[in-house]
Amino acid sequence: MKVRELAVEGAYAFEPEVFHDERGSFRSPHQEAAFGAALGGPLFPVAQVSTSRSRRGVVRGVHYTATPGSMAKYVLCTGGRALDVVVDLRLGSPTFGRSERVELSPEAGTALYLPPGVGHLFAALEEDTVMVYLLSAAYRADKERAVHPLDPALGLELPGGPDPVLSERDRAAPTLAAAREAGLLPSYADCVPAGSGARSGGGR
């Protein structure tokens, strides 16, 4: 398992070794030892597992959850292919406003860890793109937040041109500046437990 720290503080990409034979392939996208070595502890207790299926051109995000109680996520692609984007929306974070793009696919088996308060977006690059999310907290509609994916301030440069397939909610999402003005962005201090250190990313 290769582990790579992303440009967003506390977020990581986990790239497993892939074994091929005449039957196909085998990979282990989550390995407790690798996760613990990177973040200083085991994967968070999984409260919910969710999946989404998207057609090519669909963009979902930028989504995050409000504090207190913001959730951590462990995300991978099990069908099709996706461009995944991690965006730091935590006010006071040393990497606030930064983002990183990682291509996810079943063949590579790469998984991403997103600490609480970090924004998440993906663009489906193929038909029937399936994403799997391991979540540290159960879904709560009152905690769900979004920032507009086409906000020029984010500079995400998404594939598929200027008119991706968005939900009504994402089309109506505020810009980063508007979300900040309205007090909707999470605080970095609220996302990282006291004494946990930056490496933990709040995932324990």
Side-chain angles (χ1 to χ4, degrees):
M1 174 76 83
K2 295 180 180 178
V3 182
R4 181 169 62 89
E5 189 167 10
L6 302 181
V8 171
E9 191 275 316
Y12 289 82
F14 294 86
E15 303 170 357
E17 186 175 1
V18 182
F19 301 93
H20 298 275
D21 62 22
E22 67 278 3
R23 300 168 298 171
S25 62
F26 180 88
R27 65 195 51 72
S28 299
H30 173 62
Q31 299 172 33
E32 196 72 63
F35 190 92
L39 278 86
L43 182 68
F44 50 80
V46 176
Q48 183 170 317
V49 177
S50 299
T51 67
S52 66
R53 182 182 297 272
S54 304
R55 71 180 193 264
R56 182 177 181 179
V58 165
V59 169
R60 298 179 187 251
V62 177
H63 299 156
Y64 65 101
T65 47
T67 54
S70 180
M71 67 173 67
K73 301 177 182 179
Y74 197 78
V75 183
L76 61 153
C77 177
T78 60
R81 192 164 52 95
L83 178 65
D84 203 284
V85 185
V86 182
V87 186
D88 197 344
L89 302 176
R90 302 166 298 179
L91 291 173
S93 167
T95 56
F96 176 76
R98 293 188 194 171
S99 63
E100 184 160 345
R101 300 145 57 101
V102 181
E103 187 171 304
L104 303 182
S105 69
E107 291 73 27
T110 300
L112 301 183
Y113 168 74
L114 287 69
V118 167
H120 178 242
L121 171 149
F122 77 86
L125 302 177
E126 295 181 2
E127 296 295 331
D128 291 327
T129 291
V130 178
M131 301 290 286
V132 177
Y133 317 78
L134 280 65
L135 308 175
S136 67
Y139 171 81
R140 284 180 49 182
D142 63 313
K143 291 285 186 180
E144 286 294 297
R145 301 287 187 272
V147 171
H148 202 289
L150 302 182
D151 179 5
L154 296 177
L156 299 185
E157 299 182 5
L158 301 176
D163 192 26
V165 181
L166 300 175
S167 68
E168 288 302 315
R169 171 197 171 199
D170 289 343
R171 287 190 181 280
T175 63
L176 181 64
R180 185 172 190 168
E181 178 81 14
L184 296 176
L185 298 181
S187 162
Y188 179 71
D190 291 339
C191 295
V192 180
S196 67
R199 282 171 59 84
S200 78
R204 286 192 283 174

